């Protein structure tokens, strides 16, 4: 059953939510299929709008977290919540920057391999994290303008789990990644509310 927070996000980020549902349901092959289907020509700028809805959702939930909450287990490899949120902000910007570089024909020949799972700062406070999320969204919007018209071009970014995607597909996948972390954050909040 889909959580209320996911249903609420669906209006603002329908393509991202549809692609993410495969993860929620344990059908990972459908994630890649939905990403391919929903990131075609003309989708870059609308996807930036969907990523804005996700950035707003991230900012809202982070805005409701205390310093103690930010130091709790973030649900990923021993990271605390601040590290997980910082990682997500960096990842969404990085994936979109990679897509924009490829779309503009500026992919560096000596680009380093993707290192998956780099945490954000463990001691980041609420204001810092909110600023990082907002900054990542500005980067997303600039990158989407560059990717527009080049959504189907291949991107040399080789992700250890995802492999290679097209430029527009990386924009959509950045949103899927956001939803994975939003799911963790909502789980944390639900657990917090049920603790005695």
């Amino acid at each position: 059953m889909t959580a209320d927070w996911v249903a609420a996000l669906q209006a603002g980020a329908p393509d991202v939510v549809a692609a993410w549902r495969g993860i929620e349901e344990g059908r990972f092959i459908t994630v890649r299929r939905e990403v391919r289907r929903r990131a075609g020509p003309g989708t870059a700028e609308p996807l930036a709008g969907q990523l804005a809805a996700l950035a707003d959702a991230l900012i809202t939930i982070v805005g409701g977290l205390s310093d103690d909450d930010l130091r709790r287990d973030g649900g990923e490899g021993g990271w605390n919540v601040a590290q997980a949120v910082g990682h997500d902000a960096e990842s969404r910007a990085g994936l979109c920057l990679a897509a924009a570089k490829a779309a503009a024909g500026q992919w560096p020949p000596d680009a380093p391999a993707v290192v998956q799972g780099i945490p954000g700062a463990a001691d980041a406070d609420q204001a810092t994290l909110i600023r990082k999320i907002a900054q990542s969204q500005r980067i997303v919007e600039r990158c989407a303008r560059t990717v527009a018209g080049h959504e189907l071009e291949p991107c040399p970014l080789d992700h250890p789990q995802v492999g290679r995607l097209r430029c527009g597909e990386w924009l959509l996948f950045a949103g899927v990644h956001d939803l994975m972390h939003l799911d963790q954050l909502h789980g944390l909040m639900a657990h917090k509310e049920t603790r005695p």
Side-chain angles (χ1 to χ4, degrees):
M1 178 161 219
T2 301
D4 291 344
W5 69 267
V6 178
L9 270 176
Q10 189 155 4
D15 296 305
V16 178
V17 170
W20 174 80
R21 285 191 192 282
I23 294 172
E24 180 192 34
E25 296 165 6
R27 297 180 300 126
F28 302 105
I29 191 68
T30 64
V31 176
R32 191 173 180 101
R33 200 175 299 140
E34 285 298 313
V35 165
R36 171 71 41 109
R37 189 169 80 80
R38 294 171 178 274
T43 59
E45 294 194 68
L47 284 171
Q50 292 187 42
L51 284 162
L54 297 171
D56 288 346
L58 284 163
I59 287 169
T60 297
I61 198 165
V62 170
L65 298 176
S66 67
D67 287 341
D68 285 344
D69 292 332
L70 292 173
R71 305 302 164 246
R72 292 189 198 289
D73 181 2
E76 180 150 342
W79 298 353
N80 68 23
V81 172
Q83 289 172 302
V85 172
H87 157 81
D88 186 41
E90 290 293 324
S91 294
R92 71 196 317 268
L95 294 173
C96 294
L97 279 168
K101 288 278 187 196
Q106 297 174 345
W107 189 262
D110 58 347
V114 172
V115 178
Q116 185 180 349
I118 298 175
D123 60 351
D125 62 15
Q126 183 190 76
T128 298
L129 293 169
I130 288 172
R131 188 174 63 251
K132 285 185 174 294
I133 295 164
Q135 178 184 39
S136 75
Q137 183 57 33
R138 290 190 296 274
I139 292 168
V140 165
E141 289 165 7
R142 281 197 310 270
C143 291
R145 288 191 292 272
T146 301
V147 171
H150 303 277
E151 290 92 347
L152 298 183
E153 290 184 25
C155 178
L157 180 69
D158 196 359
H159 189 285
Q161 280 189 317
V162 181
R164 289 192 177 182
L165 298 175
R166 298 170 176 169
C167 293
E169 293 168 357
W170 280 120
L171 299 180
L172 179 50
F173 186 78
V176 171
H177 185 256
D178 281 345
L179 273 172
M180 292 164 62
H181 286 286
L182 278 164
D183 191 31
Q184 290 172 337
L185 288 168
H186 279 280
L188 168 81
M189 296 307 288
H191 180 69
K192 175 184 165 183
E193 288 165 8
T194 59
R195 276 199 318 253

